[in-house]
Amino acid sequence: MLLAPMVAVVDSCILLPTSPSPAASADSNALAESCTGPEGSAAQLVESTLARMEPRDKHATRKPMGYTLPAPLLQLFKSGADGWAIDIERVQRVVRTIRDTDRPVVLYLFATHFATDAPLEQQLAKDATNLAQTRDGPMAQGRYYDSAIHHWTFATTQTELTARRVQAAEALLAETCLLPEADRTKIQGITLLGELHHLFPDFEAGMGFNAPYRVTDYSEASRTGFRAFLRNEFQRIDQLNRVLGSEFVAFEDIEPPTRDIRAEPLTRYTDHIDAFAHGTFPVSGWAYSKKDAHARPAYVHVYLNGKFAGKTPVDKSRQDVLAAKPEFGTANTGWRLNLDFRPLSTGVHKVDVFLESRPGQLTLLGSREIAVMDKTQSPPLRQTRVSMPPHDQLRDGSVQAHIDQPVDQASYYYNPLVPLWHAFRGRQVADYLKFMDQVVARSCLSATPRYTHQIIPFTNPSWDENKFAIDASLSAKSMGNIRLGVSLYGEASYGASFAKWYSTTGHRRYGITEFHPLKAMSGHDLGQTLDQHAQRGADFLSFFVEPYWLGRLVTRSHNLFSFDPSNAQFGSDRLYQAVKNHLVTPETHR
């Protein structure tokens, strides 16, 4: 497995203007000259940064560290009298970085919804055809913490946005193909676009289940595509009507679901959509009990009407809980179990939640009543219940917990059109990534492994994964020869949940496009984590690092998740040292 830190060389080098600043220091001007001269590249900055982490002892037996080189596609343009054109100097700086750096590299074709402040972005954002649409229309620019968000569409490839992405990627790949073969073979992998998934309003706070349900994409291209998807799946309208319990005359009459039956009038029942209309609801929350550090995770047991419905480990990351309860000393207090309410009879059901902190010992965390409704909204009747299992009550404060979902008196309506809508949305994600993959496949780098660069929402138990509609792009069956690339944060980076999930995807190889445990680790513990990923099939592992020039940190807006000696957030300073310890310590003496 290649360690390939993502060095922040774009704003600090690749995008620098050609003329140095008269007010800049001698060191800054030396960096600018290295980046922008006739043969300028980020190679010296990459080496200056990585040498601090990995002293390049010629007698070292370890494989040298590589790096991840981000190429911001929409930043590779300049405006001229004839409109937007490729900035060949910027393209060549990226390519010369590969040529002049004597290290293996993962090339990251970066073009995601996170804004890069490219002037071209501002123009593209003014054209509504480039923007994803909720039922309320095109989405305006949003924010995610300190980053601006452009809600770009991928419902169709027939947009100027996609044309510019393709134009930049083709220019970069063509220039790369002019390199000698020895330099091209340094490229160990290519990652596509960055995280690609469906979007929704209030991206920072709207990932959960409680906000009004607004998802993408409801553009005309998407609605037309949905009808074609249904026609392909069912062939005849009567077959679809049988599944939906509907009376559509033709596929052309179908509209994606847009309305909440609780608050809005429906033309047909198939108009209904909310966070649960696909047929499941989460039983989720957090729990903490004092136990030995090496004890197995506690489990949450869920009972429905007094009968066992399932159990799930308490091992998911809840950074919000740790921030509120730092005395817990761990973020791994989250849990979630999805319950399928489609087989349940219409009526009021009782959900009981227990914590098993020790084998066989159950403590009641709480109970909720929920109603499974029919399409006519007839009054639900209380369902027969049996007695709960033997259990203790919460008493002495040794257990702290909260049930987030379901809320008491929640109502659930199943609309069979909704899982079809989500499946179509998921296919849109996968199809767009495969479209961009074909751009690479047409180049001289067609044999170089390509990877997605995706998040995995299930690792955060409070997120509604259907808003993202990302699952199809994580499956080997859907993605063909494109390898899985995933960003792993918190418990997913070092715990058991990722391994369990990965075994279901059908992938045999993967790349870790972003990595951060969100806690400090020793060199020994980090080394064990890296070994586990390597043995599981990881080809490379990337994490953010800040650039260093002549031994000094380059002044820039630093990444919150960078491994760096001066970044105490999430134990990032100690993780930086752990990487150094791992790299210089022989395998048998970690």
Side-chain angles (χ1 to χ4, degrees):
M1 183 181 72
L2 176 69
L3 285 186
M6 190 182 303
V7 185
V9 298
V10 174
D11 58 343
S12 56
C13 187
I14 299 295
L15 302 183
L16 288 180
T18 302
S19 302
S21 170
S25 66
D27 285 355
S28 295
N29 282 333
L31 172 59
E33 184 177 350
S34 169
C35 295
T36 66
E39 291 294 308
S41 77
Q44 291 186 48
L45 183 58
V46 169
E47 192 56 42
S48 175
T49 301
L50 297 185
R52 291 173 52 87
M53 302 185 75
E54 178 205 45
R56 302 198 67 187
D57 183 348
K58 65 181 180 180
H59 300 296
T61 57
R62 284 189 181 277
K63 184 178 180 180
M65 182 185 290
Y67 66 106
T68 296
L69 177 60
L73 298 184
L74 296 184
Q75 288 277 22
L76 302 181
F77 288 89
K78 61 182 179 181
S79 179
D82 297 325
W84 295 97
I86 292 294
D87 188 333
I88 191 61
E89 174 57 30
R90 286 185 174 180
V91 170
Q92 289 177 342
R93 288 179 191 174
V94 174
V95 175
R96 288 192 293 260
T97 301
I98 298 171
R99 182 195 68 184
D100 298 341
T101 305
D102 187 23
R103 292 177 181 270
V105 60
V106 174
L107 179 61
Y108 176 16
L109 303 181
F110 173 66
T112 184
H113 45 267
F114 289 103
T116 64
D117 296 324
L120 175 58
E121 280 184 342
Q122 299 170 21
Q123 175 177 308
L124 293 173
K126 294 176 182 178
D127 183 352
T129 63
N130 293 317
L131 302 177
Q133 297 188 31
T134 68
R135 72 171 210 182
D136 303 319
M139 297 180 69
Q141 188 182 80
R143 296 205 66 81
Y144 183 72
Y145 294 100
D146 59 350
S147 298
I149 296 289
H150 289 296
H151 299 99
W152 302 127
T153 186
F154 48 84
T156 172
T157 58
Q158 303 303 305
T159 60
E160 184 182 2
L161 167 70
T162 298
R164 295 301 187 184
R165 285 172 168 174
V166 171
Q167 183 183 3
E170 288 179 340
L172 180 64
L173 293 166
E175 196 70 24
T176 302
C177 289
L178 297 178
L179 291 174
E181 182 179 359
D183 290 323
R184 296 199 306 271
T185 56
K186 296 174 186 174
I187 304 173
Q188 302 291 294
I190 298 172
T191 57
L192 303 169
L193 292 183
E195 59 186 65
L196 185 80
H197 52 73
H198 279 280
L199 299 161
F200 39 86
D202 192 12
F203 188 63
E204 181 178 330
M207 297 176 177
F209 297 89
N210 296 325
Y213 205 71
R214 301 290 185 271
V215 294
T216 56
D217 188 292
Y218 286 88
S219 65
E220 182 57 39
S222 191
R223 297 201 306 270
T224 300
F226 182 49
R227 297 179 192 115
F229 168 81
L230 293 175
R231 184 186 299 275
N232 183 66
E233 290 290 314
F234 292 94
Q235 304 300 314
R236 301 200 319 269
I237 193 66
D238 63 305
Q239 292 180 335
L240 176 61
N241 282 329
R242 198 173 302 119
V243 170
L244 300 182
S246 57
E247 297 178 348
F248 290 108
V249 175
F251 286 101
E252 289 72 24
D253 299 332
I254 300 172
E255 290 291 341
T258 57
R259 296 177 175 274
D260 187 337
I261 193 173
R262 300 171 190 82
E264 301 170 289
L266 309 183
T267 303
R268 295 182 175 93
Y269 181 70
T270 53
D271 291 344
H272 170 64
I273 190 170
D274 61 18
F276 318 104
H278 60 282
T280 71
F281 66 87
V283 183
S284 64
W286 59 267
Y288 174 80
S289 60
K290 296 177 182 179
K291 62 180 185 298
D292 183 88
H294 301 290
R296 72 173 181 86
Y299 273 77
V300 163
H301 292 233
V302 177
Y303 282 71
L304 188 64
N305 299 323
K307 297 179 180 180
F308 180 73
K311 67 177 184 178
T312 187
V314 180
D315 63 356
K316 302 296 188 295
S317 287
R318 287 291 301 264
Q319 293 295 325
D320 58 331
V321 174
L322 179 61
K325 300 276 189 178
E327 64 272 19
F328 289 175
T330 178
N332 298 340
T333 56
W335 49 268
R336 173 170 163 179
L337 181 72
N338 290 337
L339 290 186
D340 187 346
F341 65 86
R342 291 172 296 180
L344 300 182
S345 56
T346 301
V348 177
H349 301 262
K350 186 184 180 191
V351 178
D352 298 303
V353 182
F354 302 87
L355 180 70
E356 183 190 31
S357 54
R358 295 178 179 82
Q361 181 178 332
L362 298 181
T363 300
L364 179 65
L365 300 183
S367 301
R368 302 287 187 268
E369 284 197 336
I370 59 100
V372 176
M373 305 294 292
D374 62 23
K375 63 174 63 177
T376 67
Q377 296 183 287
S378 57
L381 301 177
R382 189 177 300 274
Q383 299 300 293
T384 302
R385 302 167 183 176
V386 299
S387 299
M388 291 188 292
H391 62 274
D392 297 329
Q393 300 290 333
L394 281 173
R395 276 194 290 269
D396 58 5
S398 61
V399 173
Q400 298 184 55
H402 187 266
I403 301 171
D404 298 334
Q405 292 286 342
V407 297
D408 202 34
Q409 304 301 316
S411 58
Y412 299 108
Y413 297 81
Y414 173 56
N415 174 7
L417 186 61
V418 171
L420 294 169
W421 174 234
H422 288 327
F424 168 70
R425 295 170 61 239
R427 183 173 293 185
Q428 288 179 310
V429 177
D431 285 350
Y432 196 86
L433 286 167
K434 288 189 282 190
F435 172 83
M436 290 302 299
D437 178 66
Q438 286 304 303
V439 177
V440 182
R442 293 192 295 267
S443 75
C444 71
L445 299 177
S446 59
T448 303
R450 274 100 66 195
Y451 302 81
T452 59
H453 185 133
Q454 296 290 62
I455 59 173
I456 42 177
F458 83 87
T459 60
N460 191 317
S462 61
W463 286 6
D464 176 3
E465 67 275 14
N466 286 305
K467 287 184 174 179
F468 299 87
I470 207 169
D471 281 358
S473 69
L474 303 175
S475 165
K477 182 178 180 181
S478 299
M479 299 308 292
N481 293 326
I482 305 175
R483 297 184 185 182
L484 176 68
V486 286
S487 298
L488 301 180
Y489 285 82
E491 185 274 340
S493 70
Y494 59 83
S497 65
F498 172 75
K500 182 179 179 180
W501 169 83
Y502 178 69
S503 67
T504 70
T505 65
H507 287 284
R508 296 188 176 184
R509 309 295 304 178
Y510 66 101
I512 304 173
T513 47
E514 297 174 27
F515 173 88
H516 202 304
L518 299 179
K519 69 173 187 176
M521 299 180 79
S522 67
H524 176 270
D525 290 344
L526 178 63
Q528 286 188 327
T529 296
L530 300 183
D531 288 346
Q532 289 168 0
H533 282 295
Q535 292 162 11
R536 196 176 294 127
D539 295 319
F540 68 89
L541 182 147
S542 180
F543 49 89
F544 295 111
V545 294
E546 294 299 320
Y548 279 79
W549 179 252
L550 300 179
R552 296 186 180 89
L553 184 64
V554 175
T555 301
R556 58 182 298 273
S557 179
H558 295 158
N559 190 314
L560 181 67
F561 298 104
S562 285
F563 287 20
D564 190 82
S566 62
N567 181 18
Q569 293 283 343
F570 308 113
S572 300
D573 49 354
R574 294 171 62 185
L575 288 166
Y576 182 92
Q577 186 60 47
V579 173
K580 292 186 67 172
N581 293 344
H582 166 71
L583 290 171
V584 301
T585 304
E587 190 80 15
T588 56
H589 296 295
R590 283 204 219 123

